[in-house]
């Protein structure tokens, strides 16, 4: 039972397409598991449609349609059909065998390296992380895996941290979070997550990246500045 | 007196009573007919059939690759898309760029039309989401660094439907006409901030930075606006439900 949801502001930013990719990914992952929020976004999309249809109609140049039809006709039929090659988003056998990864939402599955080489790094006895690429440099997106009953060192957040539980559950001072739950933590909110006893807990987290040193020097130094919350 | 009435009803009665009886019969007939009409009109929503022109045309484009239907959709949506892009002093899109966006969006509409499912969305909502994704793609493509090639597709992130798990569409959320109307009933400042969020595709923070309004104000206007719309929609739906029940 999902009890923690993204708020209306975040869902509106998603529906209007203004969220950064990394935040879009985690909101999308929640939507793909939460019919309640999906319905909310469906309504927000209809609001977008209302704003579109209430826009002041602007004259479109007469040749635009003609150009477009030429472009459409020059598309080979086969290319149009193979427009969705990514439809076969079958999980790599390595992930399909992994009890933590085999049921991740569609959008998360797309982030997994295709060759099955997800690299885990151990942070502490009970926590390991694996970074994910989303093609942007504003946020750090990573899996956080807390072993069953494991405690994560108490930490603060330098930037906003958004977490979603993908498998298992964990708790902190404020409550228990189960599969599908979605949490936003702001800087200054200290917490110490603990996984439940019976099962490892897999989360995805999106964290506003720490201040970046740019340039070649930055490339060398940034890995050491990286910030890895739970 | 009762005797007189009895006699009258037995033998047809005086002209005034006969007339009254006829009128009563007429109105019963009329009610039966109306009820029949109501039950017919209810078949539509139950089967999730859409009867708006645009959704039907879009289905034709998707299923029959009908170019004429597409031209009609273009004539309707292209000027709106252009207006939407240029609306609200959006500095992101100069007029010639808007023309390009129109072409790009309508190209995607053609390409994706086969996946359009009228039972899940009205054409306007579907076109809106295609346009939104297209805009995100265009805006981010400009900003992308060379290392971003391995990033995830925009269409994968802005795709909340999970066809694999096939959630049953038990009940459609409120219809577009109601949402349309409730939006126009919002106080101007709420309508304005929602329009900014959607038309300019800006985060609450960006709007706050640009307008000088505190972030909390932007957020609460969005929230209160949505809540108010919800109240208006629920009220209208309840009224419609009551109306329907009174005939059953």
């Amino acid at each position: 039972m999902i009890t923690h949801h993204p708020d209306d502001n975040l869902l509106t930013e998603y529906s209007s397409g203004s969220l950064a990719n990394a935040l879009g990914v985690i909101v999308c992952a929640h939507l793909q598991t939460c019919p309640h929020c999906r319905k909310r976004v469906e309504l927000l999309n209809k609001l977008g449609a209302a704003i579109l249809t209430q826009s002041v109609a602007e004259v479109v140049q007469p040749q635009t349609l003609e150009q477009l039809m030429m472009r459409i006709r020059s598309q080979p039929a086969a290319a149009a059909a193979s427009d969705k090659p990514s439809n076969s988003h079958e999980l790599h056998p390595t992930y399909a065998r992994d009890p933590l990864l085999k049921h991740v939402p569609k959008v998360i599955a797309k982030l997994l390296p295709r060759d099955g080489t997800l690299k885990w790094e151990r942070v502490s006895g009970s926590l390991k992380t694996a970074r994910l690429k989303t093609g942007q440099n504003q946020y750090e997106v990573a899996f956080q895996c807390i072993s069953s009953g494991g405690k994560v060192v108490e930490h603060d957040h330098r930037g906003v941290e958004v977490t979603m539980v993908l498998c298992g559950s964990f708790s902190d001072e404020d409550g228990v979070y189960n599969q599908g739950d979605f949490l936003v933590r702001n800087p200054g909110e200290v917490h110490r997550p603990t996984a439940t006893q019976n099962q490892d807990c897999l989360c995805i987290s999106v964290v506003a990246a720490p201040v970046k040193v740019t340039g070649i020097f930055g490339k060398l130094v940034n890995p050491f500045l990286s910030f890895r919350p739970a | 007196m009762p005797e007189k009435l009895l006699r009258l009803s037995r033998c047809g009665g005086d002209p005034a009573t006969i007339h009254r009886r006829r009128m009563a019969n007429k109105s019963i007939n009329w009610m039966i007919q109306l009820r029949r009409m109501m039950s017919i009109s209810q078949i539509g929503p139950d089967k999730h059939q859409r009867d708006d022109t645009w959704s039907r045309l879009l289905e034709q484009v998707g299923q029959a690759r009908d170019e004429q239907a597409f031209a009609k959709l273009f004539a309707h949506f292209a000027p709106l898309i252009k207006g939407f892009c240029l609306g609200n002093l959006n500095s992101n899109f100069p007029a010639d760029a808007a023309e390009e966006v129109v072409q790009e969006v309508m190209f995607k509409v053609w390409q994706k039309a086969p996946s359009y499912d009228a039972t899940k969305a009205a054409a306007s909502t579907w076109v809106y989401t295609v346009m939104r994704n297209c805009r995100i793609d265009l805006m981010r493509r400009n900003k992308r660094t060379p290392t971003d090639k391995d990033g995830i597709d925009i269409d994968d992130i802005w795709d909340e439907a999970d066809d694999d798990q096939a959630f049953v569409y038990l009940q459609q959320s409120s219809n577009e006409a109601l949402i349309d109307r409730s939006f126009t009933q919002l106080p101007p400042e709420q309508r304005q901030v929602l329009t900014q969020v959607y038309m300019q595709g800006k985060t609450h923070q960006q709007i706050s930075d640009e307008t000088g309004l505190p972030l909390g104000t932007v957020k609460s206007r969005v929230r209160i606006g949505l809540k108010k719309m919800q109240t208006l929609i629920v009220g209208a739906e309840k009224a419609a439900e009551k109306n329907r029940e009174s005939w059953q």
Side-chain angles (χ1 to χ4, degrees):
Chain A
M1 175 76 181
I2 301 172
T3 49
H4 300 266
H5 304 272
D7 66 10
D8 271 355
N9 290 114
L10 208 51
L11 291 180
T12 307
E13 287 182 325
Y14 177 87
S15 165
S16 66
S18 58
L19 274 187
N21 281 9
L23 290 171
V25 165
I26 196 164
V27 171
C28 180
H30 177 78
L31 292 174
Q32 287 177 352
T33 42
C34 178
H36 169 263
C37 289
R38 279 249 304 279
K39 193 151 189 187
R40 200 85 196 118
V41 167
E42 198 187 306
L43 190 102
L44 287 164
N45 288 345
K46 286 178 185 177
L47 171 60
I51 294 173
L52 168 65
T53 49
Q54 285 174 25
S55 302
V56 182
E58 293 275 345
V59 179
V60 172
Q61 286 163 21
Q63 69 271 28
T64 304
L65 177 61
E66 230 171 278
Q67 284 171 0
L68 177 58
M69 290 321 293
M70 271 164 59
R71 188 175 159 197
I72 285 169
R73 288 183 198 125
S74 69
Q75 283 290 99
S82 67
D83 183 41
K84 274 240 153 185
S86 55
N87 225 359
S88 58
H89 54 271
E90 262 179 34
L91 280 180
H92 190 277
T94 319
Y95 307 134
R97 275 195 301 269
D98 190 331
L100 286 175
L101 292 174
K102 64 180 176 191
H103 295 307
V104 292
K106 198 166 62 173
V107 65
I108 304 297
K110 298 237 158 133
L111 292 178
L112 295 167
R114 292 217 182 120
D115 53 3
T117 58
L118 182 68
K119 270 198 208 104
W120 288 100
E121 293 166 61
R122 191 152 285 284
V123 179
S124 69
S126 53
L127 176 69
K128 57 179 184 173
T129 81
R131 294 192 193 204
L132 300 166
K133 282 184 181 170
T134 53
Q136 47 84 46
N137 50 18
Q138 245 182 309
Y139 293 90
E140 188 178 287
V141 182
F143 283 142
Q144 313 287 346
C145 182
I146 318 172
S147 47
S148 57
K151 277 192 173 129
V152 172
V153 69
E154 186 173 85
H155 64 272
D156 193 352
H157 306 102
R158 276 199 268 173
V160 69
E161 179 194 62
V162 185
T163 307
M164 182 186 150
V165 184
L166 296 173
C167 191
S169 60
F170 80 86
S171 61
D172 67 7
E173 293 79 349
D174 298 326
V176 182
Y177 310 98
N178 296 301
Q179 189 175 331
D181 275 339
F182 187 97
L183 300 83
V184 179
R185 291 266 180 261
N186 288 303
E189 293 180 322
V190 182
H191 72 151
R192 181 169 198 193
T194 306
T196 38
Q197 292 296 335
N198 55 349
Q199 182 182 11
D200 289 355
C201 174
L202 177 71
C203 297
I204 182 168
S205 70
V206 176
V207 188
V211 181
K212 274 203 141 188
V213 185
T214 50
I216 291 174
F217 182 66
K219 289 239 162 58
L220 292 168
V221 149
N222 278 332
F224 303 103
L225 288 178
S226 63
F227 179 59
R228 295 160 181 212
Chain B
M1 223 21 181
E3 262 180 44
K4 195 181 175 190
L5 266 178
L6 206 68
R7 193 157 42 88
L8 277 172
S9 67
R10 247 187 233 138
C11 62
D14 65 330
T17 320
I18 292 169
H19 178 71
R20 234 178 287 140
R21 214 182 288 153
R22 268 195 203 141
M23 288 308 283
N25 277 343
K26 244 188 197 171
S27 70
I28 286 168
N29 280 342
W30 184 74
M31 270 166 68
I32 291 170
Q33 205 140 21
L34 194 81
R35 221 192 280 178
R36 220 176 274 157
M37 273 162 60
M38 297 281 291
S39 66
I40 289 167
S41 74
Q42 270 173 20
I43 292 169
D46 281 345
K47 286 194 177 173
H48 292 323
Q49 279 171 348
R50 268 171 212 285
D51 55 358
D52 74 293
T53 323
W54 312 120
S55 302
R56 247 178 302 152
L57 286 170
L58 188 53
E59 275 186 320
Q60 280 170 35
V61 172
Q63 287 159 20
R65 310 266 73 189
D66 182 337
E67 290 191 10
Q68 275 180 339
F70 183 71
K72 283 181 199 159
L73 280 177
F74 187 94
H76 174 69
F77 282 109
L80 292 173
I81 294 166
K82 191 172 177 184
F84 185 95
C85 289
L86 293 173
N88 230 353
L89 301 170
N90 192 342
S91 54
N92 287 315
F93 286 105
D96 53 334
E99 203 80 26
E100 251 173 70
V101 175
V102 168
Q103 211 197 94
E104 199 57 39
V105 173
M106 291 311 292
F107 182 65
K108 286 268 162 69
V109 166
W110 172 272
Q111 276 191 319
K112 292 181 178 182
S115 70
Y116 172 69
D117 181 349
T119 61
K120 289 186 182 165
S124 58
T125 306
W126 189 83
V127 170
Y128 165 73
T129 56
V130 170
M131 177 189 72
R132 174 197 64 192
N133 293 10
C134 209
R135 184 172 65 168
I136 300 167
D137 213 12
L138 288 170
M139 281 169 78
R140 307 239 158 118
R141 204 180 289 163
N142 294 337
K143 284 191 217 159
R144 267 186 203 173
T145 56
T147 55
D148 288 352
K149 264 182 252 141
D150 44 16
I152 183 169
D153 270 5
I154 294 300
D155 279 339
D156 289 329
I157 305 179
W158 270 269
D159 170 24
E160 58 272 23
D162 189 352
D163 7 86
D164 294 346
Q165 276 178 289
F167 283 113
V168 187
Y169 278 75
L170 288 175
Q171 192 198 342
Q172 288 265 329
S173 67
S174 318
N175 74 52
E176 290 74 16
L178 269 180
I179 290 170
D180 225 76
R181 193 162 6 116
S182 65
F183 178 65
T184 54
Q185 285 174 299
L186 290 183
E189 75 267 11
Q190 288 160 20
R191 209 168 53 220
Q192 196 190 344
V193 78
L194 280 168
T195 306
Q196 268 176 317
V197 170
Y198 278 90
M199 273 194 177
Q200 303 181 354
K202 286 184 176 145
T203 60
H204 296 4
Q205 183 66 56
Q206 284 167 320
I207 291 172
S208 157
D209 292 344
E210 281 169 27
T211 57
L213 285 169
L215 180 60
T217 309
V218 176
K219 282 189 171 180
S220 68
R221 280 185 188 174
V222 167
R223 260 197 327 262
I224 295 168
L226 293 175
K227 202 167 269 176
K228 197 163 279 176
M229 278 180 67
Q230 189 92 8
T231 314
L232 289 166
I233 291 166
V234 169
E237 276 173 348
K238 268 194 187 144
E241 186 69 22
K242 222 176 197 177
N243 226 353
R244 218 174 298 144
E245 269 168 14
S246 70
W247 290 107
Q248 278 167 3

